[in-house]
């Protein structure tokens, strides 16, 4: 049983897989986006290993899902790499190689991606016959890490290593700059320091507990993650949510976007040393987080989402919330007035960290980063979920692709978000005070699968969930956070900029390490 | 205006840019006591190096919130620093992923004595929701010796602040 808008197609040969993918993706990524790509170990069901690629685009609420059964040859499972034809596949394929030992033959970058040196070769954590104990026994903290960083040679090239522990209170990652004077010639980022084995953990803990785990994959996108996860499981079970629950989720998704965007605009001020801007942004964000806490009991909107609905009526006391939203709007306006008047700040943002649209399309950018580089893509309108198809709103796109544009996309969206929140609160008066939860329903059918998604503050979030033979626990949960798509864009955006602008450019993307590393 | 500012500085009045968090009586007492110890043990102010050992990032945002104008911990002589060489406290978040274990250990070793480690958040305490996963050691003190744990997922900024102060009060 597959939910309606997921069109599966099994391709018999690797060449056909490539041909169909290129057809869907377009040359240079002009057509549909590669939403996610993953492998699944379905040997226990007799289906062997499979690689899936999911494509979709604006204007048509359909996911084209290609399934490629993987052949076993003498050297282990492998297939012809898709990356030379569809560049957006590059990190996915390296991840598949690390986690399943399925080798993408002809991939231009055969280095490991996820697993660091302490994981010896030959451990494939996501294979179903590999237990947690097996992996833990083999992990060896003494094992030296021999990751081959990309070397740039030439006169005047100087290599600057930074991280994984950084100067500020931020997440860990290593950046290897090759610089000429102050100018970055090449950046080789190494991430996955916060790899927590989340996808395997989902398989161990069962469907219901998965919600709490999804909320903790990326701290400030907790609600987008839990919504995407819950809707995948709800689709598998064929549950439809009551309107009040759908509206509540939509409201909280927008609230999450609001506090993130406001915080991000403030943080960019820290990147240029504009202290008062940073302080104002931080205070306003704090104000919104207190609203989060009042409505949901959690500053990070955790604990509200459940499979089948929400546990709190966040839309009650609409008047009070409306009043607070009004105050936030006033404060936000004055905050943006301050920023717009700070010429020295704005001049640092302009032309910094340019991300050309062609690169963004080819590498599969998502969210604010994509919309600032001329890609019109927003899951809220591409694949309306929850209450979005009953709302009329605008999605924003600009083309320049610099730090300033990314800030302005956020500013545009804050206005839209506040309007959506207000609309929902006003309409909520008319909703019946019915249940917040779908009634009791059958469990998860065995061997069913579904996608779940949400447009989070950083971009699209996808979950693919497939149940096992007993229907009690998942056979595979694939999480694709927005940052996994956007991290590979960083080296392109910083090239040619000066190193002191790196923190600023980094903040303008605001990528999650934890969401990417999982 | 200028006179007022100088008057405030000289009389150690706190500048209140926005609604700075009001403290409860208990918290004020705790902070006063802890400050006396900070004066004595660390020479008037205490410096924190925060390390993310695989957290989901919510815990870091709560630490960051401590220096926003609302919580403003700097007014208590507490601040976050960039280098472990300047730090008295190592505040660790996250379940200590294997991939971060070495960097965490090295950061600890780079700190001068006296130094203490505080585990911040449920997953730093015992692995939290990630307990039982193959990729995490399952708690900060599997890697560095933590003297106290601040519970919560994430602990609120006030909880982190009082957690730090309580640790100092108890320990010295
Ligand atoms: S304790 Fe909770 S909030 Fe803190 S890092 Fe762990 S999962 Fe995230």
């Amino acid at each position: 049983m597959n939910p309606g808008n997921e069109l599966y197609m099994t391709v018999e040969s690797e060449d056909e897989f490539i041909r169909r993918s290129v057809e869907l993706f377009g040359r240079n990524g002009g057509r549909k986006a590669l939403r996610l790509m993953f492998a699944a170990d379905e040997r226990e069901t007799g289906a062997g290993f499979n690689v899936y690629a999911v494509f979709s685009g604006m204007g048509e609420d359909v996911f084209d899902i290609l399934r490629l059964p993987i052949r076993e040859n003498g050297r282990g499972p492998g297939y012809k790499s898709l990356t030379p034809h569809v560049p957006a596949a590059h990190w996915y394929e390296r991840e598949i190689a690390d986690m399943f030992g399925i080798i993408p033959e002809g991939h231009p970058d055969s280095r490991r991606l996820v697993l660091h040196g302490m994981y010896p070769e030959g451990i494939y954590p996501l294979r179903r016959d590999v237990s947690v104990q097996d992996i833990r026994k083999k992990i060896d903290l003494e094992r030296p890490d021999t990751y081959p960083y990309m070397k740039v040679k030439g006169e005047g090239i100087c290599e600057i290593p930074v991280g994984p522990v950084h100067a500020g209170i931020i997440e860990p990652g290593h950046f290897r700059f090759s610089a000429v004077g102050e100018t970055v010639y090449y950046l080789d980022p190494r991430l996955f320091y916060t790899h927590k084995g989340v996808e395997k953990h989902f398989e161990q803990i069962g469907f219901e507990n998965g919600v709490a785990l999804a909320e903790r994959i990326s701290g400030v996108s907790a609600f987008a993650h839990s919504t995407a996860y819950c809707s995948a499981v709800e689709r598998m079970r064929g549950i439809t949510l009551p309107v009040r629950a759908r509206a509540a989720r939509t409201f909280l998704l927008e609230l999450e976007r609001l506090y993130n965007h406001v915080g991000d605009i403030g943080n960019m001020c820290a990147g240029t040393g504009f202290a008062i801007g940073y302080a104002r942004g931080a205070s306003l964000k704090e104000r919104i987080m207190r609203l989060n806490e009042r409505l949901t009991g959690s500053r990070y909107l955790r604990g509200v989402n459940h499979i089948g609905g929400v546990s709190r009526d966040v839309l009650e006391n609409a008047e009070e919330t409306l009043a607070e939203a009004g105050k936030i709007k006033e404060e936000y306006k004055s905050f943006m007035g301050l920023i717009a008047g700070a010429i020295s700040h704005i001049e640092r943002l302009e032309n910094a960290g340019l991300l050309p649209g062609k690169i963004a399309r080819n590498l599969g950018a998502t969210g604010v980063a994509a919309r600032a580089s001329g890609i019109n893509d927003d899951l809220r309108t591409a694949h309306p979920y929850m209450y979005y198809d009953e709302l009329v709103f605008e999605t924003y796109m600009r083309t320049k692709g610099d730090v300033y544009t990314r800030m302005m996309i956020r500013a545009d969206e804050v206005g839209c978000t506040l309007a959506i929140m207000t609309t929902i609160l006003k309409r909520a008066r008319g909703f019946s005070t019915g249940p917040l939860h779908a009634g009791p329903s059958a469990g998860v059918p065995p061997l069913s699968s579904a996608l779940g998604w949400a447009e989070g503050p950083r971009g699209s979030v996808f979950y693919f969930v497939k149940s096992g033979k007993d229907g009690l626990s998942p056979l595979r949960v694939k999480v694709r956070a927005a940052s996994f798509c956007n991290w590979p864009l960083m080296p392109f955006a910083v090239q040619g900029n000066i190193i002191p602008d790196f923190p600023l450019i980094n903040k303008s993307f605001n990528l999650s390490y934890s969401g990417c590393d999982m | 205006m200028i006179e007022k500012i100088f008057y405030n500085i000289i009389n150690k009045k706190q500048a209140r840019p926005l609604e700075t968090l009001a403290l409860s009586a208990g918290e004020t007492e705790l902070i006063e006591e802890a400050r006396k110890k900070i004066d004595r043990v660390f020479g008037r102010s205490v410096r924190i190096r925060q390390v993310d050992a695989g957290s989901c990032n919510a815990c870091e945002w709560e630490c960051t919130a401590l220096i926003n104008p609302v919580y403003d911990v700097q007014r208590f002589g507490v601040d976050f620093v960039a280098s472990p060489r300047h730090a008295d406290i190592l505040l660790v978040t996250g379940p200590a992923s294997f991939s971060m274990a070495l960097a965490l250990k090295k950061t600890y070793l780079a700190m001068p004595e006296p130094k203490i480690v505080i585990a911040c958040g449920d997953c730093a305490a015992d692995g939290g929701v990630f307990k039982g996963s193959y990729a995490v050691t399952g708690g900060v003190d599997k890697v560095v010796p933590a003297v106290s744990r601040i519970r919560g997922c994430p602990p609120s900024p006030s909880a982190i602040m009082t957690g730090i102060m309580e640790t100092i009060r108890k320990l010295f």
Side-chain angles (χ1 to χ4, degrees):
Chain A
M1 184 202 81
N2 289 312
N5 59 354
E6 299 174 24
L7 297 185
Y8 278 83
M9 173 188 272
T10 304
V11 286
E12 292 308 335
S13 81
E14 295 165 18
D15 290 320
E16 198 195 339
F17 182 60
I18 292 174
R19 193 176 58 74
R20 295 227 175 243
S21 298
V22 171
E23 223 166 70
L24 290 164
F25 188 72
R27 302 243 165 244
N28 293 323
R31 272 174 56 67
K32 298 190 167 189
L34 175 61
R35 296 298 185 189
L36 71 161
M37 184 171 172
F38 57 95
D41 177 358
E42 295 165 67
R43 287 176 295 176
E44 66 205 64
T45 70
F49 288 112
N50 292 285
V51 166
Y52 295 84
V54 183
F55 296 87
S56 90
M58 288 292 266
E60 198 189 356
D61 183 14
V62 162
F63 293 99
D64 293 290
I65 306 174
L66 303 180
R67 182 175 78 94
L68 173 70
I70 296 298
R71 65 185 149 81
E72 285 264 2
N73 60 23
R75 284 169 288 122
Y79 68 103
K80 267 191 211 161
S81 167
L82 186 58
T83 304
H85 313 277
V86 176
H90 65 149
W91 269 29
Y92 293 112
E93 294 198 313
R94 285 172 69 190
E95 184 189 35
I96 291 171
D98 278 14
M99 304 311 272
F100 289 92
I102 301 174
I103 305 302
E105 290 146 17
H107 192 289
D109 189 349
S110 59
R111 295 177 297 174
R112 277 175 151 195
L113 181 71
V114 181
L115 302 179
H116 284 201
M118 65 284 302
Y119 295 88
E121 304 286 337
I123 305 187
Y124 303 115
L126 286 182
R127 287 198 181 178
R128 297 277 291 169
D129 51 1
V130 176
S131 75
V132 169
Q133 285 72 24
D134 292 343
I135 308 169
R136 292 184 76 100
K137 248 184 267 155
K138 289 196 189 137
I139 289 177
D140 177 8
L141 284 173
E142 304 297 317
R143 200 168 169 272
D145 193 79
T146 51
Y147 186 77
Y149 286 96
M150 211 78 94
K151 284 270 176 226
V152 181
K153 288 198 187 114
E155 203 183 314
I157 297 268
C158 160
E159 213 177 66
I160 306 171
V162 182
V165 177
H166 298 285
I169 308 176
I170 55 168
E171 297 177 85
H174 183 90
F175 299 105
R176 191 66 64 94
F177 295 96
S178 297
V180 187
E182 271 205 307
T183 308
V184 180
Y185 193 81
Y186 188 75
L187 163 65
D188 196 6
R190 172 124 194 257
L191 302 175
F192 298 91
Y193 282 91
T194 68
H195 178 62
K196 293 184 277 290
V198 167
E199 289 181 355
K200 184 129 190 141
H201 206 47
F202 269 114
E203 295 169 18
Q204 322 281 328
I205 60 178
F207 290 106
E208 300 292 332
N209 295 337
V211 185
L213 185 57
E215 284 172 340
R216 283 157 182 82
I217 284 175
S218 175
V220 287
S221 309
F223 202 79
H225 274 269
S226 61
T227 302
Y229 173 75
C230 288
S231 26
V233 180
E234 285 154 8
R235 282 158 68 91
M236 287 159 76
R237 288 170 54 176
I239 298 177
T240 359
L241 263 54
V243 61
R244 210 173 169 86
R246 282 188 292 127
R249 276 193 187 167
T250 308
F251 179 80
L252 293 177
L253 284 165
E254 293 303 322
L255 189 57
E256 184 165 84
R257 192 180 327 283
L258 180 68
Y259 87 78
N260 271 282
H261 280 5
V262 167
D264 288 348
I265 295 173
N267 284 337
M268 280 189 225
C269 299
T272 65
F274 180 37
I276 176 76
Y278 171 67
R280 290 280 300 273
S283 313
L284 182 51
K285 181 181 172 195
E286 178 68 28
R287 171 163 212 152
I288 306 170
M289 304 211 54
R290 289 181 179 198
L291 177 62
N292 293 354
E293 185 168 21
R294 191 172 60 88
L295 294 175
T296 67
S298 155
R299 287 161 60 86
Y300 292 86
L301 307 173
R302 289 172 174 169
V304 201
N305 250 340
H306 286 281
I307 294 169
V310 289
S311 60
R312 278 206 192 205
D313 190 1
V314 294
L315 301 177
E316 69 177 358
N317 300 334
E319 302 309 322
E320 206 181 317
T321 315
L322 272 170
E324 179 63 11
K327 281 190 206 139
I328 289 169
K329 191 171 176 180
E330 282 310 304
E331 219 176 290
Y332 169 74
K333 270 194 192 154
S334 120
F335 169 55
M336 282 314 284
L338 172 80
I339 288 183
I343 304 296
S344 58
H345 174 62
I346 299 292
E347 283 194 339
R348 283 280 303 279
L349 307 187
E350 276 175 340
N351 296 317
L354 276 172
L355 177 68
K358 188 168 172 228
I359 290 178
R361 265 195 306 280
N362 262 315
L363 293 185
T366 179
V368 171
R371 292 193 285 276
S373 289
I375 303 174
N376 177 20
D377 180 40
D378 190 325
L379 291 185
R380 295 179 297 170
T381 49
H383 305 288
Y385 51 100
M386 297 303 142
Y387 192 64
Y388 284 114
D389 54 354
E390 284 159 69
L391 296 166
V392 182
F393 59 96
E394 231 178 301
T395 55
Y396 294 88
M397 189 200 51
R398 293 174 182 239
T399 50
K400 193 165 175 198
D402 58 355
V403 172
Y404 178 74
T405 317
R406 285 189 282 278
M407 180 182 83
M408 287 315 291
I409 290 277
R410 289 191 174 93
D412 294 337
E413 290 183 2
V414 168
C416 173
T417 289
L418 282 164
I420 293 180
M421 286 167 57
T422 313
T423 308
I424 293 177
L425 285 170
K426 286 190 178 151
R427 282 196 201 164
R429 297 180 190 136
F431 295 155
S432 59
T433 44
L436 298 165
H437 230 269
S441 77
V444 179
L447 296 182
S448 61
S449 69
L451 289 173
W453 63 90
E455 182 77 24
R458 292 172 168 123
S460 57
V461 173
F462 275 95
Y463 277 69
F464 167 87
V465 183
K466 180 163 184 140
S467 59
K469 265 197 272 190
D470 52 5
L472 296 177
S473 63
L475 172 105
R476 175 82 172 108
V477 176
K478 169 67 197 158
V479 186
R480 207 279 276 132
S483 304
F484 187 84
C485 297
N486 286 350
W487 265 114
L489 307 170
M490 262 323 238
F492 295 92
V494 297
Q495 196 195 27
N497 288 263
I498 56 171
I499 290 181
D501 272 351
F502 174 70
L504 175 65
I505 298 169
N506 203 354
K507 287 188 170 83
S508 77
F509 283 97
N510 181 27
L511 301 175
S512 158
Y513 298 66
S514 182
C516 173
D517 303 354
M518 291 182 305
Chain B
M1 182 69 186
I2 297 277
E3 290 86 15
K4 182 114 195 280
I5 293 174
F6 275 108
Y7 173 83
N8 284 348
I9 292 173
I10 291 163
N11 292 290
K12 284 202 173 172
K13 280 261 173 67
Q14 296 142 10
R16 289 179 186 274
L18 292 155
E19 24 145 5
T20 309
L21 186 78
L23 299 173
S24 71
E27 282 171 337
T28 315
E29 190 191 330
L30 166 67
I31 287 171
E32 279 309 311
E33 279 181 40
R35 284 197 67 173
K36 282 194 198 113
K37 302 204 166 167
I38 292 175
D39 280 353
R40 186 164 50 76
V41 182
F42 296 107
R44 308 230 310 266
S45 72
V46 67
R47 292 289 184 257
I48 303 173
R49 172 65 248 202
Q50 193 277 334
V51 169
D52 170 346
S55 92
C56 77
N57 197 217
C59 275
E60 278 82 56
W61 282 116
E62 296 303 54
C63 293
T64 310
L66 281 179
I67 43 181
N68 76 22
V70 179
Y71 298 96
D72 189 22
V73 282
Q74 283 143 331
R75 67 191 150 135
F76 306 125
V78 178
D79 201 2
F80 290 87
V81 287
S83 169
R85 303 259 184 238
H86 303 157
D88 310 300
I89 295 179
L90 187 62
L91 187 68
V92 190
T93 56
S97 66
F98 283 111
S99 305
M100 265 310 282
L102 180 65
L104 175 59
K105 184 135 223 168
K106 280 190 176 172
T107 308
Y108 175 73
L109 293 175
M111 289 168 64
E113 300 277 351
K115 56 183 170 189
I116 55 177
V117 180
I118 302 178
C120 173
D122 282 349
C123 61
D126 61 6
V129 284
F130 305 107
K131 204 184 326 183
S133 160
Y134 65 84
V136 303
T137 60
V140 167
D141 52 7
K142 300 275 186 324
V143 184
V144 288
V147 294
S148 73
R149 299 180 164 91
I150 302 172
R151 284 286 183 170
C153 183
S156 67
S158 323
I160 299 177
M161 184 172 71
T162 44
I164 293 169
M165 293 296 184
E166 230 149 53
T167 308
I168 293 171
R169 181 169 70 171
K170 254 203 301 210
L171 217 66
F172 299 103

